[in-house]
Amino acid sequence: MTTVRSRALAGRSGVGSLYSNLMHDDARVYPSRIREVEAKRTTDFAAELNPAQLRAATHADGPLLIIAGAGTGKTRTLVYRVAHLLERGIRPERILLLTFTRRSAQEMLGRAERLVGSMSRAVHGGTFHATAHRLLRRFGQAAGLPADFTIMDQSDAEDLMQLSRAKLGFSEKKKRFPKKATLHQVYSRHVNTEIPVPAILSEDYPQFREYEEDFSRIYADYTVRKSERNLVDYDDLLLFWAMLVESESALADRIASLYDHILVDEYQDTNQLQSRILRGMCRAHRNITVVGDDAQSIYSFRGATIRNILDFPAQFEGAAVVPLEENYRSTQPILDVTNTVISRAEERYTKNLFTKRTGGEKPWLVTAHDEQAQTRFVVDRILELHEEGVPLHEMAVLFRAGYMSADLEIELTARSIPFEKWGGIKFLEAAHVKDVLAFLRILENPRDEVSWYRLLMLMPGIGEATARGAIDSMALAGWASDAFGRYEPPPRARAAHAELVLLLDALRTNPTDAEGAVTMEIARVRRLYDDILRERYDRVEPRLSDLDQLQTIAGGYPSRAAFLSALALEPPQATQDFGFGAGSEDDVLILSTAHSAKGREWDAVFVIWAVDGWFPSARSLGSEEQIEEERRLMYVAMTRPRNHLFVTYPLNVYDTRRGADYSMDQLSRFIDRGVREGMQRVVVDRPESAPPDPAAGPLPVVDLRAMLKGRFGA
DNA sequence: TTTTGAAGTCTCTCC
DNA sequence: GACTTCAAAA
């Protein structure tokens, strides 16, 4: 959900863009520069695309399915298709480009701009959720949604679910009653896949089948709570959108008629609900283009189903299907290996990826003695490649889960190699950030029970019972703005109560639309909160600097509401910047989860922790389907590099799951014999001078680890 | 009723 | 190894 211009304004944090699109929804004012664009050469599509890409890009009206293998120029084709539509005279604001992440929307619209000029800025682009948000802000009221709803992120939703769980009495001793995260997961799965809750329980949570009725009761309560408190969760965004466009109403027609062409990227990762939305949006025309690769479907955990891509021709009769099979990214040796990896999977649209990029080195399979050896190998090799002229930002280290890069991060920090981390634990999930935001949220939405609860519990002398009493009293008073002030706390909470009342009053009287108002509000909150933070945590410096950063980010938003919505939908993507290289550094190494790496490419890629139980993750080993998804994820990771691929795995892992001892680990099952045949092997041993000098070595390293934990942990 | 300490749970991927 | 939940002490 962004335009190129807003991206530039937002800077590297990647937030700040949502607002600009909210504000420039349809009445866009065209600058005079547009005319200069008209004069620009028209694009020579035939010269710049291969025949299949050309067919897809210049496809006229009607449904189109592009099956795009890894590295086959999928983005390029989509960008050219947008360009083609614009050159045909379609108005840019009548094109909707739905992408999977905010990052890919930014990239595509940026590239489209280079092709056809600034006109493409007016194309509406963004994730399903961000687009839903924009539409609901505009049309939601007509559908009975309050105008000022607050978006809950996942952990907010879980917390609210917990309130329902507690209220219905399930927090008592009942053994093995599902926890809030599980409750929410099942709920979300139900909404996104439309599979009935009992079926989900039987299939994936047989141990909780006996609680079937309790699930329903909690969900009913949760739903009521949301509407009473003006809250909307991620799933609601999609659900309401679907309901809006599926209804037989003038409003539905109006929304569906906003766009003449809809393009959807990463279609293999959409779910049933999203498919319904698309059908609704296309009720007046059938100009839908979807791009996907069934071999790269890696989001079934959030309800995605490859049925959407497989059934597309049936759902949209007469759909043209264009496969893209020429890989432009990787060298032949890399392609050989990745083709073997994916050949073990059953896929429905079989593609034969080929490349003209013959030559190049075979991918490396690196056996490291242990984690440290693996880290050292990766860092050394990165430095070598850098010496050879590969910029840092052309290299990436990929792993299954965010925490697996901890050792590497320490080493990179110690060696002053700047890096940026994608995915994994997010800034916003840190407890202290959520604490501060809770203040802003109750100002924005006084009924936000979850935030009230969080905030009250922070105060000395206020515990669960007192917090509940205060909230009940406010509910009784109809959530009037002075309800908290009139609440009479028990004696030991009086001081805290008085202080809070003072703070909230001060904040309420602040103008909320002035320049930098949100930053000011946070500063004011911190006059109270920083002391609490110092009390609660040992290491406060990294946490305080997180709050500094939050203040800075807030400066980019004109209102509290815009700030909070954007944080839910487009959280700051990278948690990095340990003091050096922050801000101005462009040439940074990328550390990323395999999921977050999808759709990207680098010159050199390291896939670390290729250990069975890590990648594939141990959690997936129970079902064949999940292992298949892990295989596709490995395929995604290994198809990212253009020229250099390293797959590394440590032999000895200090694995606490198996009883705090060193254990021998095995290479990932996906790197089987056939795959290994296409690779060259290297073994990295423990260094000769094993233990570092105790006087110089260990101390700072230990310190750094603590610092990282303080930084990322809650 | 709140706070603190200890036992217990489960490890992810993302909008 | 970190977070949640439970039980006992203040």
Side-chain angles (χ1 to χ4, degrees), chain A residues 128-163:
Chain A
F128 273 88
H129 290 86
T131 305
H133 174 238
R134 184 163 48 77
L135 291 172
L136 290 177
R137 287 281 180 215
R138 192 166 148 201
F139 299 107
Q141 261 177 298
L145 206 63
D148 55 346
F149 63 83
T150 305
I151 299 174
M152 293 189 288
D153 68 17
Q154 183 167 322
S155 65
D156 298 332
E158 287 173 1
D159 289 346
L160 193 68
M161 192 77 82
Q162 176 74 338
L163 292 179

Side-chain angles (χ1 to χ4, degrees), chain A residues 86-309:
Chain A
L86 293 174
E87 288 193 1
R88 267 178 56 194
I90 311 282
R91 282 161 58 202
E93 73 277 11
R94 300 195 55 83
I95 298 173
L96 177 62
L97 174 61
L98 291 165
T99 56
F100 200 69
T101 62
R102 50 201 179 271
R103 207 181 291 127
S104 46
Q106 284 169 4
E107 188 190 332
M108 274 191 216
L109 293 178
R111 282 168 65 168
E113 181 176 16
R114 264 167 270 151
L115 209 54
V116 295
S118 58
M119 177 165 69
S120 63
R121 281 182 197 166
V123 170
H124 285 184
T127 62
F128 273 88
H129 290 86
T131 305
H133 174 238
R134 184 163 48 77
L135 291 172
L136 290 177
R137 287 281 180 215
R138 192 166 148 201
F139 299 107
Q141 261 177 298
L145 206 63
D148 55 346
F149 63 83
T150 305
I151 299 174
M152 293 189 288
D153 68 17
Q154 183 167 322
S155 65
D156 298 332
E158 287 173 1
D159 289 346
L160 193 68
M161 192 77 82
Q162 176 74 338
L163 292 179
S164 299
R165 183 180 187 260
K167 179 178 171 196
L168 295 172
F170 295 113
S171 36
E172 296 141 33
K173 290 203 176 69
K174 270 197 185 175
K175 262 189 282 180
R176 301 199 67 205
F177 193 79
K179 33 180 226 177
K180 59 180 181 181
T182 312
L183 290 167
H184 180 260
Q185 235 172 317
V186 173
Y187 171 82
S188 182
R189 198 172 180 78
H190 164 64
V191 173
N192 283 285
T193 62
E194 299 172 344
I195 299 170
V197 171
I200 295 173
L201 293 180
S202 309
E203 186 73 18
D204 298 321
Y205 303 89
Q207 72 276 28
F208 295 140
R209 235 176 333 191
E210 56 177 309
Y211 299 123
E212 198 178 300
E213 307 218 330
D214 298 327
F215 274 80
S216 313
R217 285 171 56 208
I218 290 176
Y219 294 160
D221 186 71
Y222 172 70
T223 308
V224 171
R225 252 164 223 275
K226 276 190 296 188
S227 73
E228 280 176 358
R229 315 290 187 252
N230 255 356
L231 300 168
V232 165
D233 64 27
Y234 285 141
D235 303 322
D236 289 335
L237 288 172
L238 298 184
L239 192 59
F240 291 148
W241 186 7
M243 281 161 37
L244 269 181
V245 290
E246 280 176 343
S247 66
E248 291 300 326
S249 66
L251 182 61
D253 290 333
R254 169 119 187 262
I255 294 173
S257 69
L258 287 174
Y259 301 104
D260 295 327
H261 283 267
I262 296 179
L263 298 90
V264 188
D265 189 19
E266 308 284 9
Y267 194 61
Q268 76 280 359
D269 287 322
T270 56
N271 60 41
Q272 179 64 24
L273 190 54
Q274 288 164 320
S275 155
R276 270 172 54 192
I277 290 170
L278 292 175
R279 270 173 281 161
M281 291 300 284
C282 291
R283 59 204 275 166
H285 56 76
R286 300 207 314 144
N287 299 326
I288 177 166
T289 298
V290 302
V291 188
D293 177 6
D294 46 319
Q296 294 186 65
S297 161
I298 54 175
Y299 279 94
S300 72
F301 70 89
R302 72 181 230 207
T305 168
I306 55 170
R307 288 253 59 91
N308 279 352
I309 197 167

Side-chain angles (χ1 to χ4, degrees), chain A residues 452-472:
Chain A
W452 267 116
Y453 202 72
R454 172 170 208 111
L455 172 163
L456 290 170
M457 294 284 280
L458 287 173
M459 306 301 291
I462 297 181
E464 204 174 324
T466 314
R468 179 117 310 278
I471 291 169
D472 287 347

